[in-house]
Amino acid sequence: MAIRAKTTPKAQRTGRLRVYTEGDRLYAAMLATIRTARHSIKLESYIFADDEVGRRFIAALGERAVQGVTVQVHLDAAGSFFWGPRAVQKALVQAGVQFHWFHRWSWRAPLRYNRRNHRKLLVVDGKTGFFGGFNIHRENSRRLYGEARWRDTHLEVVGTMARDLEALFDAFWQRRQRQSPVTISSGGNELITNYSRRGRQFLHSLFTARFATARKSIHLTTPYLVPDYRTRRGLMRAAQRGVDVRLLVPSKSNEWLAQWAAYAAYANLLAAGVHIHEYLPRMLHAKTLVVDRDWSSVGTANLDYRSFFLNYELNLASQDLPLARTLERQFRQDLKESEQVKPRRWARRSWWLRLLEVIAWAGRHWL
């Protein structure tokens, strides 16, 4: 049975990083930071909805633009397609905000629409930055959406890392992203981008390398579990050599095809000793990884083909021990609200579910 949290957890500071797991607190912090802007605001999102949350951001961004602050907003065309994109664009542009769509639909280049900017980041004055899994919509708000709000994870950073985020935003805004470095390192923290083929290989290889060297534990949270062969093999081999491998995935997903494709991967993972836990209370959208309780990753990349090989993503790989411990505590709290998938019970699943798995797995590269 699920054990629901009785109170909304506060943002947790770990050194110069702050972890957010509740949308209301994150949005309040982002809006407060926006209102302090003196020179520049740079915002990038996969989804920016024309709803109560989105309109609060539009008002705050517009107010700073009117006051002479340079405000730039870069949204993914596919991600925001069903969320009132025209209203959002019109309101921002009328307020004096500089606005770009990423990969709008074009009959001349239809395939580029499938290459999406999945990043979510905000940088104010090059001093404070936010990035992670949260989009800008009411589904993340407990106040607006209730107990069914999405469960996600985001970071707030300051100083050098905020300036690095600003440089990554500028590269995308100016359409020179392929000139950006694959990684930017600072004090045991490493921002990882995947603009180029080399970058996508690096992000993919980073995860599999950590699986290969794990000694005690691999605790991974992902909303979409559609692992390629190399990733799946890395998790299975780790479990077979005695590493505690636990995957936390949603019981309730907003993408049914992706969930059916995930089911297709369950059998082999379970047989190898990988523990799979389904999060019960609400939609799970967080993307975190903690290895051996001393190395962690937070960002936008899911454990699927789209994140590794198609989308543009942004992840932090960190040796920051307080961050790893904070994410580990959150993982264990989430396990209390989850149900473990039992191998024997899974083996008895219905024939029609197996059929759906085959169909979804066949299209795994496009989910």
Side-chain angles (χ1 to χ4, degrees):
M1 294 295 293
I3 303 175
R4 295 184 182 276
K6 295 182 180 179
T7 60
T8 301
K10 296 180 179 179
Q12 304 170 75
R13 180 169 288 283
T14 65
R16 297 176 66 81
L17 305 173
R18 178 173 287 175
V19 180
Y20 291 89
T21 58
E22 285 289 344
D24 289 325
R25 293 188 180 277
L26 171 66
Y27 294 149
M30 292 171 71
L31 289 166
T33 304
I34 286 171
R35 294 187 186 104
T36 68
R38 293 295 178 265
H39 307 291
S40 66
I41 300 171
K42 304 177 187 237
L43 187 149
E44 204 169 306
S45 189
Y46 184 64
I47 296 173
F48 191 124
D50 178 32
D51 60 17
E52 301 94 325
V53 171
R55 287 190 285 272
R56 288 171 63 196
F57 275 86
I58 290 171
L61 294 167
E63 187 275 333
R64 298 318 297 152
V66 169
Q67 295 299 317
V69 175
T70 300
V71 182
Q72 298 168 303
V73 174
H74 200 175
L75 304 183
D76 184 80
S80 293
F81 184 80
F82 295 104
W83 303 84
R86 292 184 179 179
V88 170
Q89 179 182 8
K90 181 179 179 180
L92 289 171
V93 171
Q94 286 181 342
V97 173
Q98 299 176 32
F99 185 91
H100 282 174
W101 284 115
F102 181 82
H103 281 184
R104 296 193 72 175
W105 171 261
S106 170
W107 289 105
R108 295 180 178 179
L111 291 180
R112 76 170 190 167
Y113 191 70
N114 194 43
R115 296 293 301 277
R116 301 166 188 172
N117 181 10
H118 196 234
R119 310 186 317 175
K120 302 96 178 170
L121 65 91
L122 168 69
V123 187
V124 175
D125 289 340
K127 296 179 180 179
T128 305
F130 299 82
F131 71 101
F134 277 91
N135 289 292
I136 297 175
H137 57 29
R138 70 192 310 272
E139 280 76 0
N140 287 125
S141 170
R142 186 175 192 173
R143 181 176 61 85
L144 297 170
Y145 206 68
E147 295 300 318
R149 73 209 180 279
W150 291 17
R151 157 76 182 88
D152 218 324
T153 301
H154 222 75
L155 294 180
E156 177 184 352
V157 301
V158 296
T160 301
M161 198 181 303
R163 291 192 294 274
D164 292 338
L165 287 174
E166 183 176 48
L168 294 176
F169 177 95
D170 289 342
F172 242 70
W173 182 266
Q174 298 165 11
R175 294 181 173 85
R176 54 176 179 81
Q177 56 264 32
R178 293 186 181 278
Q179 301 174 19
S180 299
V182 171
T183 64
I184 304 177
S185 301
S186 175
N189 295 310
E190 190 172 35
L191 286 171
I192 302 166
T193 65
N194 63 339
Y195 305 126
S196 62
R197 181 185 298 274
R198 177 171 171 264
R200 291 191 291 276
Q201 291 174 344
F202 184 91
L203 179 62
H204 182 225
S205 297
L206 175 70
F207 276 53
T208 54
R210 284 292 167 175
F211 298 160
T213 59
R215 303 181 307 278
K216 299 177 181 178
S217 61
I218 298 171
H219 292 165
L220 187 145
T221 300
T222 183
Y224 310 114
L225 176 67
V226 190
D228 62 283
Y229 173 75
R230 183 178 170 190
T231 302
R232 191 166 66 251
R233 182 182 61 182
L235 291 168
M236 293 167 61
R237 286 183 173 178
Q240 289 167 344
R241 65 174 186 269
V243 176
D244 178 41
V245 182
R246 296 185 183 271
L247 309 182
L248 182 65
V249 298
S251 173
K252 307 170 185 178
S253 178
N254 66 325
E255 296 286 351
W256 288 105
L257 281 175
Q259 189 163 38
W260 294 335
Y263 291 160
Y266 275 20
N268 288 338
L269 292 169
L270 291 169
V274 174
H275 303 283
I276 301 175
H277 303 259
E278 293 185 335
Y279 187 68
L280 297 175
R282 45 202 169 105
M283 170 60 191
L284 178 71
H285 196 251
K287 310 104 166 44
T288 66
L289 170 63
V290 183
V291 176
D292 292 338
R293 302 182 185 180
D294 59 11
W295 183 93
S296 62
S297 176
V298 185
T300 64
N302 302 303
L303 203 74
D304 64 4
Y305 285 83
R306 175 165 290 280
S307 284
F308 282 146
F309 307 118
L310 282 175
N311 284 350
Y312 296 105
E313 308 284 359
L314 176 63
N315 268 52
L316 173 71
S318 179
Q319 297 177 354
D320 184 277
L321 191 57
L323 175 61
R325 289 175 174 173
T326 297
L327 295 176
E328 178 73 11
R329 284 195 300 270
Q330 183 62 52
F331 183 86
R332 292 188 177 279
Q333 177 60 39
D334 290 336
L335 286 187
K336 295 178 182 178
E337 301 183 270
S338 305
E339 182 177 44
Q340 186 169 353
V341 178
K342 301 297 184 181
R344 289 186 179 180
R345 182 178 177 184
W346 185 253
R348 296 195 298 270
R349 66 195 185 282
S350 62
W351 66 267
W352 60 265
L353 182 56
R354 293 172 188 260
L355 177 60
L356 291 174
E357 292 171 14
V358 172
I359 294 171
W361 188 256
R364 63 191 179 278
H365 295 277
W366 299 91
L367 296 177

